Amino acid sequence: MKVWLIQANEPIPAVDKNQRPFRTGMLAEALLKQGHEVVWFAATFDHYTKTQRFSVNQMVQIEDNFQIQFLYGCRYQKNISLLRIKNHIQIAKQFKRVSRKLQQPDLIYCSFPPIYLAKKALSYANQKNIKFVLDVRDLWPEVFERAVPKKMYWVTNPIFRYLHRLVNQLYRNSYAVNAVSNECVNYVIEKSGRKKKKYDSGYFIGFPNRYQLSAEESLIARAEKVQIIFVGTLSNQINYDLICKIAMKLKNIDFIIGGDGPLSEDFHTLAKDLPNIQFKGWLDANTIQQYMKQASFALIPYYDTFDFQLGVGNKFAEALCYALPPIVLCNGVMKNLILNNQCGVFGKDAHDVAYQITELLDDDIKYQNYVKNAHHLYQEQFDSSKIYPNLVNDLVKLQEE
């Protein structure tokens, strides 16, 4: 089976140094292992490092049956900006141009967002009578509506109404809809009026268990001083104020913050009087691994908004892989997973979170059980070596129908 994977913004381990595979990368690996042919459409502009990989469209041959087609898009520095919109329009146009010249696939698996690229890919699939699977990773334009000041609604509402119509058409007209949870799939179906179909299903993002740590080994690797870790993009999705309030109540615990982003400077300013919040900057995969092994908890510090309530991000799966009890600050799927499996901390305010962490650390047996439960949950539901072969099997059945 020849598959086109469309994902503009993920790191690409075969090209980007010291990067681990994300969702599309893990799916590509699973497809290749089962003998399928893969063309991955990606952007020339690296969303995470904010650097250009190539200055023009570029096809890169990775293996005999694996190519990456880079689509040119301009630079942008802010994740919410007109330049990013321009970038998305450009890569969508480049997809339309490049796709005409390539041998058509048997199946298209398209990550969503961005909106315009998905729209062009669906249009191509319809013209060629190719089955098109939309993988909903983030809820656009909802996340942008949240960022708009109320006083600007009169300007932005017509734009968002148009985008909602466009997105609902994508949802309704895809052959199948996947997402990062079944709850997210159900939201998409209800929002768009789509009729639920056989292959509409949620697949957790998962995480590759390349480190082969057991729960017992992970306990031995913990640093002597308790550490709580977060590594990721410092964007407007993170509740920095609550992180600082928790750190203020847990002054004997180090908060290790890895990563960079548009709100990095704001976070530094907010935490300037908290020496137990330690900023490590952008980290490569090997360094992240070392910090994760030493930590005692992983912080999942997202706002309690409906998009995070419906999703389970890669940070959650990564925490479970390292047998780290996640600290979750929002309701929804992640909260239910940690409470049902007794493997993490959920709290909506700093006092509640700090109290639960202190209680766990005062009870060695309970903490060790949480660690073991976290790793068991990873093995049962978040091990990418199980998730993506199962997804590939479903895609083969879908394509053959």
Side-chain angles (χ1 to χ4, degrees):
M1 181 170 70
K2 184 180 180 71
V3 182
W4 283 5
L5 300 178
I6 300 175
Q7 164 51 255
N9 294 327
E10 280 187 15
I12 303 170
V15 175
D16 304 325
K17 292 182 180 179
N18 297 319
Q19 291 290 344
R20 66 166 182 82
F22 283 26
R23 185 174 178 87
T24 301
M26 292 185 284
L27 175 55
E29 288 179 352
L31 285 163
L32 294 167
K33 281 181 181 177
Q34 294 192 29
H36 301 291
E37 186 178 348
V38 174
V39 178
W40 178 348
F41 290 82
T44 58
F45 184 69
D46 188 325
H47 174 71
Y48 291 92
T49 63
K50 299 293 187 283
T51 57
Q52 280 284 14
R53 298 180 179 103
F54 302 100
S55 58
V56 294
N57 294 338
Q58 185 76 38
M59 176 69 85
V60 177
Q61 189 81 36
I62 305 299
E63 301 173 18
D64 288 344
N65 58 344
F66 183 27
Q67 297 173 306
I68 300 175
Q69 174 63 63
F70 287 98
L71 306 171
Y72 178 76
C74 68
R75 296 172 179 269
Y76 58 85
Q77 292 303 314
K78 294 183 179 180
N79 290 346
I80 300 179
S81 64
L82 292 175
L83 277 177
R84 189 178 185 192
I85 294 171
K86 180 181 178 182
N87 172 282
H88 287 177
I89 293 171
Q90 287 175 326
I91 61 175
K93 287 181 177 178
Q94 295 304 324
F95 172 83
K96 183 177 181 180
R97 179 181 300 172
V98 168
S99 61
R100 295 170 180 163
K101 303 174 184 177
L102 300 178
Q103 181 183 353
Q104 71 181 54
D106 302 303
L107 178 76
I108 296 177
Y109 196 87
C110 180
S111 294
F112 173 86
I115 296 171
Y116 300 116
L117 180 57
K119 181 177 181 292
K120 292 293 184 185
L122 177 59
S123 177
Y124 174 90
N126 288 339
Q127 290 170 12
K128 303 291 185 179
N129 197 28
I130 297 166
K131 289 177 180 174
F132 180 90
V133 182
L134 191 71
D135 184 33
V136 180
R137 302 283 301 277
D138 279 313
L139 295 172
W140 284 18
E142 290 91 331
V143 295
F144 292 107
E145 285 181 296
R146 188 181 73 211
V148 173
K150 289 184 178 180
K151 63 182 180 180
M152 294 297 294
Y153 281 0
W154 68 276
V155 176
T156 59
N157 274 354
I159 298 170
F160 285 125
R161 281 198 298 270
Y162 164 75
L163 291 175
H164 278 296
R165 286 197 300 272
L166 196 61
V167 169
N168 285 338
Q169 289 171 6
L170 283 169
Y171 291 160
R172 287 195 299 269
N173 295 328
S174 297
Y175 188 86
V177 171
N178 291 170
V180 294
S181 71
N182 284 320
E183 288 81 355
C184 189
V185 171
N186 292 338
Y187 170 81
V188 164
I189 290 170
E190 183 177 349
K191 173 183 187 288
S192 64
R194 174 185 174 85
K195 198 170 185 179
K196 187 172 175 64
K197 298 182 180 179
K198 181 178 178 180
Y199 291 101
D200 291 350
S201 183
Y203 297 87
F204 290 140
I205 291 177
F207 195 82
N209 189 10
R210 303 189 170 188
Y211 317 113
Q212 302 299 324
L213 277 180
S214 67
E216 291 75 16
E217 288 169 333
S218 71
L219 282 165
I220 294 170
R222 301 285 195 260
E224 186 175 340
K225 186 174 182 181
V226 176
Q227 296 177 357
I228 296 173
I229 188 166
F230 171 75
V231 179
T233 303
L234 302 180
S235 67
N236 65 336
Q237 300 172 330
I238 295 172
N239 194 336
Y240 302 105
D241 184 60
L242 186 52
I243 295 172
C244 291
K245 287 178 179 177
I246 296 168
M248 201 176 298
K249 290 183 176 293
L250 298 171
K251 293 182 179 178
N252 61 327
I253 293 176
D254 286 339
F255 287 69
I256 308 299
I257 308 297
D260 204 346
L263 292 185
S264 176
E265 189 175 329
D266 293 8
F267 191 12
H268 277 76
T269 301
L270 202 60
K272 62 182 173 62
D273 296 322
L274 293 168
N276 58 327
I277 295 183
Q278 301 176 12
F279 294 96
K280 303 298 181 180
W282 192 260
L283 305 173
D284 64 30
N286 293 330
T287 308
I288 291 171
Q289 179 183 343
Q290 293 305 313
Y291 278 118
M292 294 294 284
K293 285 181 177 179
Q294 295 171 11
S296 299
F297 296 90
L299 191 58
I300 316 296
Y302 301 112
Y303 280 108
D304 190 18
T305 54
F306 86 99
D307 48 329
F308 287 115
Q309 292 168 8
L310 293 173
V312 182
N314 64 300
K315 300 302 170 189
F316 186 86
E318 184 176 18
L320 298 178
C321 178
Y322 285 97
L324 294 177
I327 302 168
V328 175
L329 306 181
C330 62
N331 286 286
V333 181
M334 290 186 288
K335 170 194 169 183
N336 294 336
L337 282 166
I338 63 170
L339 295 184
N340 292 340
N341 292 278
Q342 294 188 315
C343 66
V345 170
F346 167 75
K348 295 197 73 171
D349 61 63
H351 175 79
D352 186 23
V353 172
Y355 174 80
Q356 291 185 59
I357 292 170
T358 302
E359 186 181 45
L360 267 178
L361 292 174
D362 288 342
D363 188 335
D364 285 345
I365 294 175
K366 186 175 181 181
Y367 174 74
Q368 289 172 20
N369 284 335
Y370 269 50
V371 168
K372 292 173 184 176
N373 292 344
H375 199 252
H376 179 73
L377 178 59
Y378 168 77
Q379 292 174 316
E380 291 297 311
Q381 297 191 51
F382 288 91
D383 186 343
S384 62
S385 68
K386 298 176 183 178
I387 293 170
Y388 293 98
N390 289 337
L391 174 54
V392 171
N393 292 338
D394 288 344
L395 294 177
V396 170
K397 293 174 188 175
L398 177 154
Q399 195 275 328
E400 291 177 347
E401 282 193 354

